Amino acid sequence: MDKGYEKEQFTCLSIKVSIAKKYRRFCRTQGRSQSMALLAMVNFFEANGVSPEDRLDETIASLKYQMKRRFNALVAIVRSIEKEQTKPTMAMLQSLFEQHLQGEADGFGEEVMEFIERKFEDGPPDETWDEETTVPRVRYERLEERMAALKADFSHVLDRVKVVKPSFGKEYLKLELTRQEIEKYRRNIQNS
C-alpha cells in the first residue's frame, strides 16, 4: 500500500488503452504504484516549474552539458568584470594619488616643506606624525571632488545591476549599460 494514503479511496481516470499500458510499464520500471508514480510526476513538474510539453533536450546528460557551458560563461563574465572594473578602479585610484603627490611635490614643493617645518618649529609633536594630517586643504578638496564623482558613477552602475532568475540554475546579476556609457566610464578613468 501507499504510505500516507492507505485510507483514501480509489477513483477512475479516463485514459486511452495504449497510454494506460505504457503508463503501467513505466510504473513497474520505477517500482512504484500507479498513484505514487503519478504523484511524483506532478510534484516534479510543480517544483521545477516545467510544463509537460516543454522539451528538456534529449537527455539529462545534455542538460548537464548545457548548464556546465552556462556556468563557464558566468565565470568568464565575473573574471571580465574583475579585470575591467575592480582592478582598473584600484589602479586608477593609486595612480591618481601618486600623480597628485608628484604634481604637488613639483609645483608646491616649497610650500609643503614650509608647512611641515612650521609644524615642527614649536617643538616636538605630542602625537605621532601622520601624512594625512599634513595634506593641504586645496589638495584635500580636489580629492574629495574626484571621490564624489567616482561615487556618483559607481552608484549609477550599481543602479543598473538587475537580478535575473532563470528557470534553471542559480540567479545571476545582469549589468544593463549601453556601450556609450561604458566608453564614457573608461574615458573618465583614463583621464583621471
Side-chain angles (χ1 to χ4, degrees):
M1 285 305 267
D2 303 326
K3 290 184 180 178
Y5 296 94
E6 293 90 1
K7 296 186 179 184
E8 286 192 31
Q9 295 180 344
F10 288 95
T11 187
C12 294
L13 295 175
S14 299
I15 301 175
K16 302 289 182 182
V17 174
S18 62
I19 297 172
K21 286 180 183 178
K22 189 174 183 179
Y23 177 67
R24 286 185 183 121
R25 268 187 307 227
F26 174 77
C27 292
R28 273 182 289 216
T29 59
Q30 295 296 314
R32 296 183 177 192
S33 68
Q34 294 175 15
S35 298
M36 290 294 106
L38 185 60
L39 179 65
M41 284 188 258
V42 170
N43 286 340
F44 172 80
F45 288 127
E46 287 177 349
N48 293 309
V50 179
S51 169
E53 287 94 26
D54 291 346
R55 187 81 176 141
L56 298 177
D57 282 337
E58 293 140 23
T59 61
I60 296 294
S62 62
L63 185 61
K64 279 184 177 178
Y65 177 72
Q66 183 181 8
M67 289 177 69
K68 186 176 179 181
R69 280 191 352 205
R70 287 184 181 174
F71 285 134
N72 288 339
L74 183 63
V75 167
I77 290 170
V78 170
R79 285 183 182 161
S80 172
I81 288 173
E82 286 176 352
K83 287 180 183 176
E84 294 176 5
Q85 291 178 0
T86 309
K87 290 179 183 176
T89 303
M90 281 301 294
M92 179 206 58
L93 287 173
Q94 286 176 344
S95 67
L96 207 161
F97 287 124
E98 289 171 6
Q99 285 178 354
H100 205 66
L101 287 174
Q102 288 174 355
E104 290 205 2
D106 295 342
F108 304 107
E110 296 171 8
E111 292 177 16
V112 172
M113 290 304 292
E114 287 177 18
F115 179 75
I116 293 172
E117 287 173 3
R118 271 188 265 131
K119 181 173 183 178
F120 292 109
E121 281 178 358
D122 299 334
D126 295 336
E127 55 189 50
T128 58
W129 180 72
D130 251 347
E131 185 177 329
E132 292 180 63
T133 59
T134 62
V135 175
R137 185 176 191 90
V138 173
R139 182 171 149 215
Y140 176 75
E141 289 172 354
R142 286 183 195 156
L143 289 175
E144 272 190 338
E145 289 172 6
R146 288 183 181 166
M147 187 64 171
L150 280 174
K151 282 182 180 180
D153 288 346
F154 281 130
S155 65
H156 178 71
V157 169
L158 289 176
D159 289 342
R160 297 301 188 120
V161 174
K162 304 295 179 197
V163 177
V164 177
K165 297 181 182 180
S167 57
F168 286 178
K170 294 182 179 180
E171 59 186 38
Y172 60 91
L173 302 176
K174 180 179 179 183
L175 186 59
E176 295 179 343
L177 288 175
T178 63
R179 290 181 189 261
Q180 291 82 12
E181 289 174 316
I182 292 172
E183 288 302 318
K184 179 183 123 187
Y185 293 133
R186 278 199 183 125
R187 281 193 306 271
N188 287 344
I189 289 172
Q190 289 172 353
N191 292 337
S192 294

